[in-house]
Structures are given as structure tokens and as C-alpha cells.
Amino acid sequence: MAEDLAEQITGRLGVKPSYLLRAAAEETLATADKIFTELSKLANPATESYVDQLEDRNDSLVVEMTTYLMKAVYYQQLNDPTAYEYLHQTKLSFSLG
């Protein structure tokens, strides 16, 4: 994405241009991969505190969306409709809509 376009988009979103521009950065992809790998494991009540404490906000759209998506998958596996619905309605639908 061109930097000037990213600046216009992120200006409207109220975030830094790096939020979009760092999507392919090695560190960003490694963080997203770590979150995906950890939360792709079968749901285990012992890891619920890890999921709850996992930081939702990040300076990269890729990491933020991976976190929201994998948290939603985790809570769906636990059959926790309240947590799943909250993430779906407030984070995923808002971000993707």
C-alpha cells in the first residue's frame, strides 16, 4: 500500500500509518503466527487465563485481527457464547464491516 493512501485511511481510523504499513513486516507476521499457533490448539481451561490476558490492541492490523479472530475461535470452542458474541459484534464485525 502506498504511504500516502495509508496515511489517509489511518487518519480516518485514528491510528498510525504503521497499523497498515507493517502488515508484511517479519516481526508482525511472527507475532500473528504465535497467536494463531497458540490459540489453534484444542480449547483447554488451563489456557483461558492466557487468552483473557492476551493484549487485544496492537500497532498492526494483522496482529489485532489475528488476536480477535483466534479469541473468538477459542471462546466458541469453549462454548462461551457471551465472550464469542462480544468479540464478534464489537471487534470482528466492526473491523471487517
Side-chain angles (χ1 to χ4, degrees), residues 49-62:
S49 63
Y50 170 79
V51 174
D52 287 339
Q53 294 174 11
L54 190 60
E55 183 62 43
D56 292 332
R57 303 296 293 168
N58 191 282
D59 191 34
S60 172
L61 174 64
V62 172

Side-chain angles (χ1 to χ4, degrees), residues 33-42 47 50 70 74:
D33 185 56
K34 178 183 174 196
I35 293 164
F36 178 83
T37 300
E38 197 59 36
L39 297 183
S40 292
K41 297 174 183 175
L42 290 177
T47 63
Y50 170 79
M70 295 313 297
Y74 178 82

Side-chain angles (χ1 to χ4, degrees), residues 2-37:
E3 284 188 41
D4 61 333
L5 179 59
E7 287 179 16
Q8 290 177 14
I9 293 171
T10 57
R12 290 183 180 188
L13 295 174
V15 295
K16 298 176 190 173
S18 62
Y19 188 73
L20 296 177
L21 294 174
R22 293 185 55 220
E26 196 171 311
E27 178 185 342
T28 298
L29 296 176
T31 301
D33 185 56
K34 178 183 174 196
I35 293 164
F36 178 83
T37 300

